Amino acid sequence: VGGNWKCNPDKLAKLDGLIANIQACDTTKCDVYVCPSPLHVAYCNGKFTNGAKVTPQNCNATGCGAYTGEMAVEQMKDMGISQVLIGHSERRGEFGIFPMDDNTTLANKLKYILDAGMSCVFCIGEPKEIRERGLDAVLAEMDKQLEQIYHLLDPARVVIAYEPVWAIGTGLTATPEDAQATHAGIRALIAEKASSEVAEAIRIQYGGSANGKNAPDLAAQPDVDGFLVGGASLKPEFKD
């Protein structure tokens, strides 16, 4: 289960309460990570004793140098950080934000992350207009987003976070049945294009307005392996 704080909170003083909430999570049967905003990564790093991983929201594919506004995995590793998230739809250009990544740049980033010995949460997902065309159209888009990374999918170091873009921050959520069908379809693509062993072992998280109310029904689906939580990760319910 991951908590993506996005560009929140607005005040440094609010971080201690958010950190305490993550610290209160029972991690004995569940891996937990949190994605603070870039300005807050250093403050949060080292604050968790329950195994929760600080996971920055992005990195570049080129390392340190003349790359204004970027973060390099070398900097993360020096801080003791071992995992990074990439490919979130808000970085891919959804919601009117300038697209900062595409399938090719993300494939380059994933290779760079893995070559550096780090692990990765790799986000994929479809906008509403594709979802409205049905499951086959959704899976065709998922194949397009995965086609350059099938050969990089190491289940020990890569987690797939499926996020239906139309459900992020809207309050809309895929039904448990729709989520299961999509996750099963993604797993079938990985079995076909990578291997059945990779498909069986890799974790596929759901990330579309997941919250304390809908999580139990979603978690009961056989191909939903966890959650990437947005707004609800800023609330006390996250630890439940």
Side-chain angles (χ1 to χ4, degrees), residues 4-11 15 18 35-37 40 57 231 234:
N4 180 13
W5 294 347
K6 306 189 179 186
C7 192
N8 294 297
D10 58 342
K11 290 181 171 59
L15 283 173
L18 294 174
C35 305
S37 73
H40 295 158
Q57 298 172 10
L234 297 164

Side-chain angles (χ1 to χ4, degrees), residues 11 21-22 40 53-54 97 102 106 116 147 152 194 200 208 216 221:
K11 290 181 171 59
N21 200 37
I22 302 297
H40 295 158
K53 288 187 175 183
V54 172
I97 302 172
D102 58 29
L106 290 167
E147 64 182 350
L152 296 172
E200 184 176 336
Q221 305 307 308

Side-chain angles (χ1 to χ4, degrees), residues 146-159:
L146 291 168
E147 64 182 350
Q148 296 183 61
I149 68 163
Y150 282 121
H151 67 290
L152 296 172
L153 294 180
D154 175 354
R157 295 203 289 148
V158 180
V159 172

Side-chain angles (χ1 to χ4, degrees), residues 9-123:
D10 58 342
K11 290 181 171 59
L12 196 68
K14 296 179 180 179
L15 283 173
D16 287 341
L18 294 174
I19 290 169
N21 200 37
I22 302 297
Q23 182 68 17
C25 293
D26 179 2
T27 58
T28 56
K29 298 179 181 177
C30 177
D31 291 330
V32 175
Y33 64 90
V34 62
C35 305
S37 73
L39 285 172
H40 295 158
V41 165
Y43 183 87
C44 295
N45 194 38
K47 294 288 200 304
F48 303 108
T49 60
N50 63 349
K53 288 187 175 183
V54 172
T55 302
Q57 298 172 10
N58 183 46
C59 69
N60 68 15
T62 47
C64 297
Y67 308 110
T68 302
E70 292 292 341
M71 297 182 287
V73 296
E74 290 84 356
Q75 295 169 318
M76 298 174 192
K77 289 176 69 176
D78 181 63
M79 296 169 67
I81 291 170
S82 61
Q83 180 169 275
V84 60
L85 178 143
I86 60 173
H88 194 280
S89 60
E90 290 157 8
R91 303 283 307 173
R92 288 176 181 261
E94 300 298 338
F95 311 124
I97 302 172
F98 181 82
M100 291 158 272
D101 270 313
D102 58 29
N103 295 329
T104 299
T105 64
L106 290 167
N108 291 337
K109 286 184 178 185
L110 180 58
K111 183 178 187 307
Y112 182 67
I113 291 164
L114 297 177
D115 285 348
M118 291 181 61
S119 58
C120 180
V121 179
F122 192 96
C123 300

